[in-house]
Amino acid sequence: MRDPAGGRTAARIEAMTPPGRDRGVDALRALAIAGVVLGHWLVTAWVPGPRGTVAVSSPLAFMPELAPLSWVLQTLAVFFFVGGYAAARSLRTAGDRARAETAGPARARTDGPARAAAGPAWVRARMGRLLRPVGPLLLVWAGIAAGLALHGAPYATVRALALPALGPIWFLAVFAAFTAATPLLLKLRPGVTAASAAAVVLAVDAVRFGLDGPAWLGWVNLAAGWLVPYVLGVGWAGGGLASRRTAVALLAGGAAGAAVLVAGFGYPASMVGVPGAGVSNLSPPTLAAVAFGLAQVGLALLAHGPLGRLMRRPRLWAAVALLNLSALTILLWHLTVVAVTALAALRFGAVPGLLTPPAHLSWLPERLGWLPVFGGLLALAGAAAKQWGRRLANRPSRGRPADGSTVRGSRPVL
């Protein structure tokens, strides 16, 4: 059946897209978003306990044979890789604009200061767009937590519902820190920086697991581990990682390294956290997660060209462009809609696929049946976030962002 409205929307988005837009990068970001959201929706479960408590669970805790599912759906390294690429390209565009504005007889004297001024202005604009959407999420959860407390809900229940839902904020905090550091990272050699960060992860893991060091030391890897793909993205934006041989080496070397670490050194096979497990590859990142991320970077480089060509189809490109424009909203709210659904269903007891132990394969198709509900609630959250953004944009103090765009007048920040 024909879809005239959808066709018109696709044609309008196609016409609004700048000719030089790298659609392959946007497709990679969209795939990463889909992987994170679908992965969380499939492995995050809540199970009612005694005296009104609720505990977080996961099918991976009951069925470790499902670990390969995490190899497909844990796509955070692609996020950071594409994020580093986009930030570096955006900052260079801001610098070019600043230099163009100083063109003329005095250019020789003002070009340097203009270039230096572009960095702080770009960082301020980027930080505002990244951090502003966190406020509504925190307000919503403050209200939910207060309401639960007033109704006598145990602290363990409030914590079990809120912590996973607010988990995306850690990703955003690390991403924002890297974004703010992008002007500095552009001055460094990406390969050396990535290798140094990986060496830090190796040292931290050696102390934690080999020398029985303190567990808190692992949180150093939260920055060092994700800096590896981010700075590789910065290097890619500067013309590095251009050869197919490099991409294949990253894919093969990263996959082999992860396999050796899992099979020979006792790292978990799951690339996501599993409730109750002694060690997580993700919270904080381990050397196995870094190796796995390198494999994902290699695969992303190989897929970039074919995806770019595929995005020449207007309808596919329209879907990817729209998803990218809502990327931050999706990332921040996708677990909240699951938690709110579970909270609303608590009065009904053991709801299949939502409030039952994910102990059997039958739980997965039951959970799949809830995905349309989660998707609908996420769309409502996106609409509310859009209204919030419009109100902020209509303030008299609105400034002009200092970076590029995907569709004219709209800018994905990740």
Side-chain angles (χ1 to χ4, degrees):
M1 184 174 64
R2 293 184 178 180
D3 182 11
R8 288 194 296 269
T9 300
R12 185 165 59 253
I13 292 175
E14 179 73 23
M16 294 172 67
T17 303
R21 184 69 192 181
D22 191 333
R23 303 185 185 201
V25 168
D26 290 299
L28 287 172
R29 186 188 292 108
L31 287 173
I33 294 169
V36 168
V37 171
L38 184 59
H40 281 155
W41 283 359
L42 289 179
V43 303
T44 306
W46 286 273
V47 180
R51 295 184 295 277
T53 60
V54 174
V56 181
S57 187
S58 169
L60 295 172
F62 294 93
M63 297 172 282
E65 64 273 14
L66 294 179
L69 185 66
S70 70
W71 305 345
V72 177
L73 299 177
Q74 200 281 82
T75 52
L76 284 175
V78 179
F79 261 124
F80 283 102
F81 179 60
V82 173
Y85 172 88
R89 287 285 300 270
S90 173
L91 182 53
R92 287 195 174 100
T93 298
D96 291 343
R97 184 181 297 120
R99 287 193 294 273
E101 291 173 353
T102 61
R107 179 170 183 175
R109 298 191 302 272
T110 61
D111 188 46
R115 185 187 300 115
W122 178 88
V123 170
R124 286 194 299 271
R126 206 79 167 179
M127 290 300 99
R129 290 166 52 211
L130 276 172
L131 301 179
R132 192 179 299 118
V134 176
L137 181 65
L138 292 177
L139 287 174
V140 166
W141 273 102
I144 292 174
L148 288 172
L150 289 173
H151 284 81
Y155 169 75
T157 294
V158 179
R159 186 176 187 274
L161 289 167
L163 279 186
L166 296 175
I169 294 178
W170 76 257
F171 156 79
L172 186 61
V174 176
F175 191 91
F178 291 163
T179 300
T182 300
L184 172 62
L185 295 175
L186 281 172
K187 300 177 182 179
L188 305 177
R189 296 177 61 182
V192 174
T193 306
S196 300
V200 170
V201 176
L202 171 61
V204 168
D205 278 12
V207 173
R208 288 175 64 203
F209 305 135
L211 303 177
D212 197 26
W216 60 261
L217 186 63
W219 293 106
V220 173
N221 289 351
L222 190 60
W226 297 123
L227 180 60
V228 175
Y230 187 90
V231 80
L232 289 177
V234 171
W236 186 33
L241 309 179
S243 70
R244 183 178 179 86
R245 180 178 300 178
T246 300
V248 171
L250 285 169
L251 173 58
V260 168
L261 289 168
V262 169
F265 291 87
Y267 283 83
S270 172
M271 289 299 154
V272 299
V274 179
V279 177
S280 167
N281 276 321
L282 200 58
S283 301
T286 63
L287 190 61
V290 172
F292 180 73
L294 290 176
Q296 288 185 314
V297 168
L299 184 59
L301 288 168
L302 292 173
H304 172 249
L307 285 173
R309 291 188 290 273
L310 192 62
M311 290 300 105
R312 293 298 169 187
R313 299 181 180 182
R315 289 178 182 269
L316 282 177
W317 168 240
V320 166
L322 292 173
L323 191 151
N324 272 274
L325 292 174
S326 302
L328 194 53
T329 298
I330 292 171
L331 287 172
L332 286 176
W333 290 90
H334 74 279
L335 277 171
T336 289
V337 300
V338 185
V340 168
T341 304
L343 179 60
L346 277 174
R347 68 184 66 184
F348 301 108
V351 180
L354 190 63
L355 291 169
T356 53
H360 306 285
L361 282 175
S362 60
W363 185 89
L364 286 177
E366 291 171 352
R367 170 51 67 93
L368 287 172
W370 284 97
L371 298 193
V373 176
F374 302 157
L377 291 175
L378 188 56
L380 291 176
K386 189 175 181 179
Q387 289 291 344
W388 173 274
R390 283 176 177 172
R391 290 179 182 178
L392 290 177
N394 288 330
R395 288 181 176 179
S397 60
R398 179 179 59 180
R400 179 183 178 183
D403 60 338
S405 62
T406 294
V407 178
R408 195 174 300 121
S410 302
R411 301 173 178 85
V413 69
L414 298 176

